[in-house]
Amino acid sequence: AQSVTQLGSHVSVSEGALVLLRCNYSSSVPPYLFWYVQYPNQGLQLLLKYTSAATLVKGINGFEAEFKKSETSFHLTKPSAHMSDAAEYFCAVSDRSQAGTALIFGKGTTLSVSS
Amino acid sequence: DAGVTQSPTHLIKTRGQQVTLRCSPKSGHDTVSWYQQALGQGPQFIFQYYEEEERQRGNFPDRFSGHQFPNYSSELNVNALLLGDSALYLCASSLEFREMGQDTQYFGPGTRLTVL
């Protein structure tokens, strides 16, 4: 069964600093992987997705993630943090072992950005 | 183009009651999935509807049931509410691509359910 582990429940950076949010996955089949962002009292917004094409995936708002099969990782990065990036970030894997397309989420990482 | 909409926004119920949550998918989407997000946790998959049938289900009891209508909108029903059912309930819609695999799931703003 697929699963996702997000390392670090809380990450704090200064404005302009590098953002690195870690995600490791477990999957018995080639995975589809996603990063979503959730702002307070809102639903989830897709940042980017990996679907077995290019291993370096570029998303919205300057975020990108690299799929590394050997490390079973899909870490999210952004070169320079903005105050508006403060939010909850979720990594997810698609459960492709069944007929449907359920998303299996990690527990999330809260990103704080200080000025 | 309207995105995924959910109603109501907030709901307060007491233990033992029943609740129905509603979801309208993004225009052109035919698949609806429901997730439960407890406070401080990631969303957990409840079930997915396609062609008006439940085709995939997560680890939730039978108290959780759903329905998809011919216009692709969906309902989530929860019977015999427990305190632990208090959560944000998220609906996501997507378009089925049989040959192209996983399509993106777009999420609604959620319904906040409080059980007292």
Side-chain angles (χ1 to χ4, degrees):
Chain A
Q2 283 82 353
S3 66
V4 167
T5 301
Q6 292 185 240
L7 302 175
S9 60
H10 199 160
V11 171
S12 297
V13 300
S14 300
E15 194 172 22
L18 171 71
V19 175
L20 172 60
L21 304 182
R22 301 178 186 274
C23 173
N24 288 89
Y25 69 91
S26 172
S27 177
S28 57
V29 298
Y32 286 168
L33 293 159
F34 305 81
W35 275 99
Y36 282 86
V37 61
Q38 186 176 36
Y39 297 99
N41 300 315
Q42 294 188 25
L44 299 168
Q45 180 183 10
L46 180 73
L47 283 175
L48 48 81
K49 64 179 180 180
Y50 167 77
T51 56
S52 71
T55 56
L56 182 62
V57 181
K58 294 187 182 298
I60 62 171
N61 302 338
F63 285 94
E64 63 181 37
E66 185 173 7
F67 173 72
K68 292 187 176 181
K69 183 178 179 180
S70 61
E71 299 177 7
T72 61
S73 69
F74 190 58
H75 301 333
L76 181 71
T77 60
K78 182 174 180 177
S80 177
H82 294 173
M83 297 293 288
S84 60
D85 295 327
E88 187 81 10
Y89 291 80
F90 294 97
C91 181
V93 63
S94 178
D95 182 357
R96 299 172 62 205
S97 61
Q98 301 187 52
T101 54
L103 293 176
I104 309 300
F105 286 88
K107 293 186 176 181
T109 297
T110 301
L111 175 65
S112 299
V113 182
S114 58
S115 58
Chain B
D1 177 25
V4 180
T5 59
Q6 294 186 242
S7 63
T9 305
H10 295 88
L11 205 51
I12 299 175
K13 293 285 187 178
T14 57
R15 282 179 296 174
Q17 284 189 313
Q18 179 265 344
V19 68
T20 297
L21 311 181
R22 295 176 175 81
C23 171
S24 291
K26 185 177 169 65
S27 178
H29 285 185
D30 58 5
T31 303
V32 173
S33 305
W34 286 92
Y35 295 82
Q36 180 195 66
Q37 185 179 18
L39 198 61
Q41 300 294 318
Q44 286 199 302
F45 174 73
I46 303 175
F47 42 54
Q48 184 176 84
Y49 276 83
Y50 174 66
E51 293 186 336
E52 300 181 49
E53 291 194 357
E54 180 185 298
R55 72 169 177 182
Q56 191 178 13
R57 188 178 183 93
N59 188 25
F60 279 80
D62 291 345
R63 297 186 298 108
F64 290 77
S65 63
H67 189 77
Q68 186 179 35
F69 299 94
N71 66 352
Y72 308 120
S73 67
S74 177
E75 288 182 349
L76 164 65
N77 300 293
V78 187
N79 294 323
L81 284 167
L82 304 174
L83 295 179
D85 295 331
S86 294
L88 180 68
Y89 288 85
L90 295 164
C91 170
S93 74
S94 57
L95 179 62
E96 176 76 2
F97 286 138
R98 296 185 190 278
E99 293 79 28
M100 295 175 62
Q102 174 71 59
D103 188 31
T104 300
Q105 293 190 21
Y106 292 86
F107 284 79
T111 293
R112 173 74 62 187
L113 173 65
T114 302
V115 182
L116 302 177

